[in-house]
Amino acid sequence: MNSSFVRGTCMEMCSSAERVMRRKEGLIHPLEKPPDKTKMIKSFSRSAAGKNLLDAKSLRPPETLLKTVNYLLTEVIKNDEVPWHVTYDFVMDRLRSVRQDMVIQNLSAKESIYIFQKIVSFYAYAAYRLLNEPIKNFDPHMNNVHLQECLKRLLCMFDECNDNLYAKNRPHFEALYVVMNLNSAVAVTRALKLPKSQKTEDVKLAILLSRNYFGNNFVKVCRLIPQFSLLLQCVIALQLPEIRSSVN
């Protein structure tokens, strides 16, 4: 991290100042009850007059951000007391806050890479789980915008980190980028240029899927889908309407 940027000192998921303010204003989400430091999570906030986003006491360092994301995606995400689209809205807002803290602190790729892997997986999963929700409950376009943005940032982090420790899950996300962008020559070219050690079965399948897509071979595309890992199957299933239209 660049030393000229502020380093957060808040070791809780939500600063005490924000907890007090939100209790006072009645801004407690149902998923934050009881509203204490073990349940409340910093909400996303746009820059506004009188609000200092650079206050170190409200910014969470990398270890706290990772703890926050783990809590959201292991505990909150399985809550069944509210409809899942409500859970999604809450988690999405809190993840935006996590990303905001990361940007303000200018965290390095090594400090960010594990966090972004989890965020990308959430958006990909949500796209499939909420596929049949009405638009008033879930905006698939906006979810895709967040997914593509976070995935591209994650791939840049993989490019920046040469340490094999951080590249363990890289093939999964490289394959995800291809299957999400089957009509992109840039995506498949990137996969083709990966080192041999990163060309796992999912990556090879993603390249083959892309080739069959460009070849308008809908039958082969469908036959390849069951060979992918589960999350990638879900993401590919979302592309089927576009794949069908491309071959008609």
Side-chain angles (χ1 to χ4, degrees):
M1 188 190 75
N2 191 320
S3 59
S4 65
F5 288 81
V6 63
R7 170 67 91 169
T9 61
C10 179
M11 304 308 292
E12 297 170 348
M13 295 190 295
C14 183
S15 68
S16 58
E18 180 175 327
R19 294 200 305 270
V20 170
M21 180 277 292
R22 290 212 278 125
R23 287 196 200 99
K24 182 179 178 180
E25 300 295 330
L27 300 175
I28 307 300
H29 194 280
L31 293 171
E32 294 180 300
K33 296 180 179 178
D36 57 32
K37 65 181 181 180
T38 68
K39 296 288 186 181
M40 291 185 67
I41 304 171
K42 182 179 179 181
S43 61
F44 176 74
S45 177
R46 291 179 173 82
S47 179
K51 187 172 184 63
N52 183 12
L53 298 180
L54 300 178
D55 181 9
K57 295 190 295 295
S58 70
L59 291 171
R60 296 158 293 182
E63 59 270 26
T64 305
L65 291 172
L66 182 58
K67 181 184 77 172
T68 301
V69 171
N70 284 337
Y71 173 72
L72 285 167
L73 302 186
T74 58
E75 298 298 326
V76 175
I77 200 174
K78 60 186 181 183
N79 182 287
D80 59 3
E81 295 180 4
V82 298
W84 206 79
H85 68 84
V86 174
T87 300
Y88 166 83
D89 286 340
F90 174 77
V91 173
M92 182 181 72
D93 176 86
R94 275 30 179 195
L95 291 179
R96 288 187 72 188
S97 176
V98 166
R99 290 160 57 191
Q100 184 178 56
D101 278 15
M102 296 170 76
V103 170
I104 292 172
Q105 297 176 85
N106 192 36
L107 299 188
S108 68
K110 289 184 178 180
E111 291 172 311
S112 307
I113 203 164
Y114 291 134
I115 297 173
F116 265 86
Q117 288 182 49
K118 294 172 183 292
I119 292 175
V120 167
S121 297
F122 167 76
Y123 284 126
Y125 170 70
Y128 185 80
R129 177 158 181 173
L130 295 174
L131 173 63
N132 295 318
E133 282 289 332
I135 191 68
K136 65 178 181 179
N137 292 339
F138 173 67
D139 185 342
H141 170 72
M142 186 54 62
N143 184 78
N144 188 61
V145 168
H146 286 296
L147 173 53
Q148 293 276 12
E149 177 185 338
C150 291
L151 180 55
K152 288 175 183 177
R153 286 187 64 186
L154 176 59
L155 296 184
C156 288
M157 292 174 197
F158 283 130
D159 290 342
E160 184 178 334
C161 290
N162 296 319
D163 192 330
N164 289 334
L165 175 66
Y166 296 93
K168 179 181 178 182
N169 298 320
R170 180 175 182 173
H172 171 78
F173 293 100
E174 296 284 357
L176 177 61
Y177 183 56
V178 175
V179 302
M180 279 187 59
N181 300 279
L182 288 176
N183 61 348
S184 170
V186 172
V188 71
T189 299
R190 175 186 172 88
L192 287 167
K193 291 181 177 180
L194 287 173
K196 187 176 180 180
S197 62
Q198 295 294 334
K199 287 184 179 176
T200 61
E201 190 62 25
D202 270 344
V203 172
K204 292 176 182 178
L205 283 170
I207 294 170
L208 186 57
L209 189 78
S210 179
R211 285 175 173 168
N212 281 291
Y213 171 84
F214 279 113
N216 291 327
N217 195 327
F218 181 68
V219 173
K220 284 190 176 180
V221 166
C222 290
R223 286 177 177 170
L224 286 170
I225 295 175
Q227 300 178 49
F228 285 88
S229 55
L230 186 57
L231 184 61
L232 292 178
Q233 288 185 45
C234 293
V235 172
I236 298 167
L238 296 172
Q239 319 301 318
L240 287 177
E242 180 180 343
I243 295 170
R244 288 193 189 99
S245 66
S246 71
V247 298
N248 291 333

